[in-house]
Amino acid sequence: MNLLALIENNAKAYLNRKPKCDVILYDDDTYENVVFPVIPSKLPAVEQKQNNEVFNGASGDITLIGTLGLREYTLDNWLLPVNKSYPFTRPNASDGEAIINFIKTRRETKKVFRICVIFTDGNEVLNMACVCDDLNYYYDSVHDIHASISFKEYIYVNTTNNQTTNSNNSLSDSQN
């Protein structure tokens, strides 16, 4: 094989390679983060339903277009190695127990955090403030964790200031 063909084959292999990505959980308040160590070849879909309604009108069924629902992201049966590094483990990845503890701590303290799915080329798949709706995990025979985790989008509610008193008009403020 001549040099030009070799370079061309290597270039094609490079261009056709699957980009790698990182799945990161991040706490905006404490700046703590954990990085998932193993990423499957096929990422889960970001789910978002629309709250449409169908009602029966005089001429038949009518669809009333609703607002977009909250996004959901589910990691089903993900491998979280504990105290080991496999050849397929992402660089700078967190330990499986650190990831579970990160999620459990935020659930117990009712804190919002962020899930980010970012390709190494910089393309962002998901950057969503969220809560953990569901956390199921077990340890396998080599003490690695297998987890299924569901995240649901969290929408921050804006607060406004009263124009005359310049005080905050949020529901969480105590009344004097």
Side-chain angles (χ1 to χ4, degrees), residues 33-76:
N33 69 74
V34 290
V35 178
F36 281 78
V38 178
I39 307 299
S41 60
K42 184 177 179 192
L43 289 172
V46 178
E47 297 176 29
Q48 186 173 31
K49 296 179 181 166
Q50 190 158 3
N51 298 317
N52 299 329
E53 292 183 44
V54 176
F55 62 93
N56 194 349
S59 61
D61 286 345
I62 299 171
T63 301
L64 179 63
I65 299 174
T67 58
L68 287 175
L70 298 173
R71 292 179 292 172
E72 295 181 23
Y73 199 67
T74 301
L75 311 177
D76 194 29

Side-chain angles (χ1 to χ4, degrees), residues 67-94:
T67 58
L68 287 175
L70 298 173
R71 292 179 292 172
E72 295 181 23
Y73 199 67
T74 301
L75 311 177
D76 194 29
N77 197 25
W78 277 43
L79 174 65
L80 304 174
V82 177
N83 295 324
K84 9 181 133 65
S85 180
Y86 296 113
F88 49 84
T89 303
R90 297 289 299 141
N92 301 320
S94 302

